[in-house]
Amino acid sequence: MPETPRAPGLSLESVFGPLEIRVLEALWGRRAPASVRDLQPAFPGVAYTTLMTTLDRLFRKGMLARHKDGRAFFYAPSRTREALQSDLAG
């Protein structure tokens, strides 16, 4: 699994793009893993494929876990917000 980017004093905004942060926030606010279709209503104006690509990028960065159910992938954060912020703070 890829490691979290580390450098002293980093913030979420210095490591992730605005849409990536919004996606992480949306997933941290859920109790269960979510598919692209589950998340889409929270992202008006964002194309389905853009949201799908963003979730895949966060998965490849090691920030999300995913599992396949039927034809859909379901995503969940691999770290809590607090754990990620602590890692970034150094």
Side-chain angles (χ1 to χ4, degrees):
M1 174 158 72
E3 289 196 25
T4 303
R6 288 184 181 218
L10 289 178
S11 66
L12 288 177
E13 292 79 11
S14 65
V15 178
F16 302 104
L19 184 56
E20 289 176 322
I21 293 170
R22 285 180 58 204
V23 168
L24 286 169
E25 293 285 347
L27 289 168
W28 282 323
R30 292 178 156 268
R31 294 183 181 199
S35 68
V36 178
R37 192 166 309 280
D38 296 333
L39 292 171
Q40 182 131 43
F43 294 87
V46 176
Y48 182 93
T49 53
T50 300
L51 190 54
M52 183 171 54
T53 299
T54 302
L55 285 160
D56 185 62
R57 286 184 180 165
L58 287 168
F59 168 74
R60 291 177 191 279
K61 289 179 179 182
M63 299 298 102
L64 301 178
R66 79 176 176 194
H67 72 274
K68 194 168 187 177
D69 187 0
R71 295 181 61 199
F73 282 109
F74 286 79
Y75 296 87
S78 59
R79 293 181 173 86
T80 64
R81 176 184 338 205
E82 294 76 19
L84 180 56
Q85 288 173 330
S86 176
D87 286 350
L88 292 174

